[in-house]
Amino acid sequence: MGLQDSSQDLSTEMEVDAFRRIFPLRFFERHLSESLRPDGRQLGKARDTIVNLGLVSTADGSALAKIGSTTMLAAIRMEVMTPSTDSPDEGCIALEFHMPPICSPTVRPGRPADAAPVISKRLSDTILSSGMIDLKELCLVSGKAAWMGYLDIYCLDADGALFDAALLSAVAAFSNLQIPVVALNDNGRIVAITGGKDQDNASITEKEAVNKEKRKLTLKNIPFSLTCILHKTYILADPTTEEESIMDTLVTVVLDSSDQMVSFYKSGGTALAYSPAIKSCVELARKRAKEVKQILGEMDID
Amino acid sequence: MEIDREDGRTPNQLRPLACSRNILHRPHGSASWSQGDTKVLAAVYGPKAGTKKNENAEKACFEVIWKPKTGQIGKVEKEYEMIMKRTIQSICVLTVNPNTTTSVIIQVVHDDGSLLPCAINAACAALVDAGIPMKHLAVAICCCLADNGYLVLDPNKLEEKKMTAFAYLVFPNTTLSVLPEGSSVAEGEPVEHGIITSVTHGVMSVDDYFLCVENGRAATASLSAFFRKNFQQSQKDSSKAG
């Protein structure tokens, strides 16, 4: 094709940055043939991952997760609500994923990004179906009061693999969550006990804290995810935005701590996924799950 | 040990399929697809000039509008729209009509389980009716896993609710060709074994997922045969009329 011939002629004379912009696919393929990516990573290696907890003091639980440059801030607020009649012993989690204009030049104010509601739905499906949180733990008084957790995830920097970073920040925020202490007041309603003023102290000691022991949620079956790009015979783990825009076939594998598959998500794309590719993606996801488990373990998250 | 399905089907049996094309007059292509009681109507308008912002102007662009039977459009519909848009983009030839937008509108008539696969099949039939150039068809199927480990294809709504996990799988259609076997092979497997799209709900083991994929592949043969027969039938009818 004409383009290939011209690039071969120009490639000896062109600067690297110009070549990267004008012939992005050829630039990447030159690296892939050496089993490397432009940032020096191996094909199956994810970027450096950092998790910080408890950054938002006004929230009941919060976490910041960074995978390379992709940054996600998750915060949870708990509110008491009446549970529905079909599940009187269960609380509820409402998850919302936001992509404010700060995260990417393609997101403009007023127009929500196309990816935001999709990632939001995928995250809530994954977290609820993995069974990480037992909704019965959120119950206060059966049939009358239960906790509603509002989890908001803000994307601060969108540099590829948004789902992975968002899931990691959500898991970390849940582990950081301290459920507020509440008591049943005289009217039979649940009120929160705050670090009160002196005149309130007398009334607080009269009330009994309803949930003094239960302040933290037990997290079982934590889901870990890895997004990969399929391009011809190569599989690239943890893509950046540049890689995602050039090679459009993305596969996300979510595994939980007992090695069960929570989700295998492939949404179209030029390349088709054959069995060997699926197996390799699952293997890479397993390795990544071990890495992330270690990182969370260092921060005392079970 | 067999699993008993309420409507008496075997685990690998699909519900009765029905497809009619060219049912609406204003759209350039339209089709209605039903699998049992699940019925979806698809309409295609296009190609129209110009692409949307943030889309590549050197390629054709697709937009999908999903209209549920009742209620407002929420995140579920947005997710379906994105999955369908990416699936359609991967099966259509994007370089033939660059800088154009083709709209695919999906109207849910009745949801009795396996809704997204039904919609994808309807969209394919509507795209063929509109004459949009495609590389191959996208054949979609739903496989679900019961708690005793049995796999069931094409569940209805009640079965979907009872199952521990289900997967929507989309494959290219099986080819019927005069070329010798081995000519359409990629990575040692026939081209129609590759997965275009896969969306799973619920937890399953990795082996169970591979089993779903196998069963899904086997089912695409019968779906592809149905597509072929349906298109050839209408061709014969139109040639008789013309």
Side-chain angles (χ1 to χ4, degrees):
Chain A
M1 288 163 266
L3 208 62
Q4 270 187 351
D5 291 329
S6 59
S7 79
Q8 265 158 7
D9 288 334
L10 291 171
S11 60
T12 47
E13 308 163 13
M14 209 190 275
E15 274 182 6
V16 176
D17 286 332
F19 189 70
R20 188 178 191 153
R21 286 302 194 98
I22 303 177
F23 305 109
L25 194 56
R26 281 188 56 75
F27 177 79
F28 271 91
E29 283 181 347
R30 287 268 271 265
H31 286 81
L32 294 178
S33 57
E34 314 275 337
S35 296
L36 269 185
R37 288 144 93 164
D39 52 6
R41 280 191 285 160
Q42 297 284 329
L43 296 188
K45 191 136 181 11
R47 293 169 286 180
D48 293 332
T49 311
I50 303 171
V51 177
N52 281 327
L53 300 176
L55 300 153
V56 182
S57 51
T58 49
D60 298 316
S62 61
L64 181 85
K66 269 175 81 93
I67 298 186
S69 308
T70 304
T71 312
M72 298 279 169
L73 179 64
I76 307 180
R77 290 223 62 200
M78 303 294 273
E79 260 182 32
V80 182
M81 57 119 194
T82 350
S84 70
T85 40
D86 355 305
S87 43
D89 286 329
E90 290 185 353
C92 191
I93 307 270
L95 198 151
E96 191 69 44
F97 178 76
H98 306 264
M99 283 185 75
I102 197 175
C103 71
S104 160
T106 52
V107 178
R108 298 313 307 143
R111 266 211 81 186
D114 291 330
V118 180
I119 296 183
S120 194
K121 166 125 199 314
R122 283 172 62 194
L123 277 173
S124 43
D125 282 347
T126 305
I127 290 177
L128 291 174
S129 67
S130 69
M132 174 172 88
I133 296 172
D134 185 4
L135 293 176
K136 295 199 163 45
E137 284 189 349
L138 295 175
C139 178
L140 284 167
V141 177
S142 171
K144 297 235 182 80
W147 285 115
M148 170 89 152
Y150 291 100
L151 171 61
D152 287 293
I153 304 179
Y154 289 86
C155 178
L156 300 175
D157 197 345
D159 192 25
L162 299 182
F163 183 80
D164 299 348
L167 187 62
L168 184 58
S169 69
V171 167
F174 274 115
S175 72
N176 180 243
L177 176 65
Q178 288 267 51
I179 301 181
V181 186
V182 286
L184 206 54
N185 78 356
D186 312 318
N187 299 338
R189 289 173 71 212
I190 298 271
V191 283
I193 301 176
T194 52
K197 303 170 208 159
D198 279 35
Q199 55 248 71
D200 291 335
N201 259 340
S203 48
I204 286 172
T205 46
E206 283 165 20
K207 296 178 206 155
E208 235 179 78
V210 171
N211 61 344
K212 218 182 205 146
E213 326 82 36
K214 189 128 219 70
R215 298 293 303 284
K216 282 243 175 211
L217 289 179
T218 37
L219 302 176
K220 24 183 168 118
N221 293 339
I222 298 179
F224 303 104
S225 90
L226 179 68
T227 305
C228 305
I229 284 187
L230 301 181
H231 179 66
K232 297 185 187 167
T233 53
Y234 306 108
I235 298 179
L236 282 67
D238 191 22
T240 61
T241 307
E242 200 190 348
E243 290 167 353
E244 277 181 6
S245 60
I246 302 164
M247 298 170 275
D248 63 350
T249 312
L250 293 168
V251 170
T252 304
V253 182
V254 183
L255 298 174
D256 71 7
S257 18
S258 45
D259 207 34
Q260 300 268 72
M261 184 189 281
V262 178
S263 159
F264 186 93
Y265 192 91
K266 175 182 190 282
S267 175
T270 358
L272 301 178
Y274 296 94
S275 308
I278 303 176
K279 288 194 179 102
S280 316
C281 286
V282 173
E283 260 319 300
L284 286 172
R286 278 198 185 114
K287 278 193 211 144
R288 176 69 176 158
K290 282 201 190 95
E291 269 175 41
V292 177
K293 234 185 208 170
Q294 210 183 15
I295 294 173
L296 292 178
E298 280 165 20
M299 315 183 61
D300 296 325
I301 301 171
D302 306 304
Chain B
M1 202 176 33
E2 284 278 303
I3 188 172
D4 285 321
R5 296 178 80 168
E6 277 158 12
D7 46 8
R9 284 186 285 153
T10 63
N12 282 354
Q13 191 181 357
L14 306 173
R15 289 175 287 183
L17 302 166
C19 171
S20 15
R21 294 179 304 123
N22 204 11
I23 41 180
L24 302 170
H25 296 293
R26 294 298 303 272
H28 301 129
S30 58
S32 113
W33 181 278
S34 59
Q35 287 176 206
D37 279 334
T38 305
K39 188 163 173 188
V40 174
L41 205 59
V44 172
Y45 285 94
K48 293 175 281 195
T51 49
K52 292 175 139 179
K53 264 189 178 178
N54 293 336
E55 296 275 357
N56 190 354
E58 288 171 32
K59 294 196 171 157
C61 158
F62 285 86
E63 67 164 349
V64 177
I65 301 168
W66 180 290
K67 289 284 181 190
K69 184 175 173 187
T70 51
Q72 286 196 328
I73 298 188
K75 289 187 214 155
V76 179
E77 286 76 32
K78 292 274 175 218
E79 195 197 0
Y80 284 163
E81 283 179 5
M82 171 142 298
I83 296 173
M84 287 200 60
K85 175 183 157 159
R86 298 188 61 136
T87 305
I88 292 174
Q89 268 178 332
S90 67
I91 59 171
C92 290
V93 183
L94 300 176
T95 46
V96 172
N97 294 317
N99 203 19
T100 58
T101 306
T102 306
S103 311
V104 179
I105 295 111
I106 301 287
Q107 173 66 60
V108 176
V109 176
H110 189 72
D111 178 13
D112 188 33
S114 191
L115 183 60
L116 182 63
C118 195
I120 293 176
N121 292 333
C124 271
L127 287 167
V128 166
D129 194 43
I132 307 289
M134 298 198 280
K135 295 180 233 177
H136 48 73
L137 295 176
V139 177
I141 189 86
C142 174
C143 301
C144 50
L145 206 62
D147 19 353
N148 50 10
Y150 276 93
L151 242 116
V152 153
L153 286 180
D154 198 18
N156 58 21
K157 196 106 194 172
L158 294 166
E159 288 175 333
E160 237 177 33
K161 285 211 174 105
K162 287 191 293 186
M163 298 295 169
T164 45
F166 59 86
Y168 295 139
L169 297 165
V170 183
F171 297 95
N173 65 320
T174 49
T175 47
L176 202 69
S177 80
V178 294
L179 297 171
E181 258 182 53
S183 58
S184 66
V185 165
E187 293 187 31
E189 285 188 52
V191 176
E192 56 258 21
H193 283 195
I195 300 177
I196 302 177
T197 294
S198 150
V199 180
T200 66
H201 282 259
V203 184
M204 57 174 93
S205 73
V206 180
D207 294 324
D208 284 336
Y209 179 73
F210 278 109
L211 208 62
C212 281
V213 171
E214 292 258 342
N215 280 32
R217 280 180 189 149
T220 54
S222 51
L223 273 169
S224 305
F226 175 80
F227 264 112
R228 194 168 284 121
K229 207 172 102 179
N230 192 278
F231 295 160
Q232 283 172 341
Q233 193 69 37
S234 51
Q235 259 190 328
K236 279 194 203 128
D237 292 340
S238 60
S239 63
K240 270 189 208 154

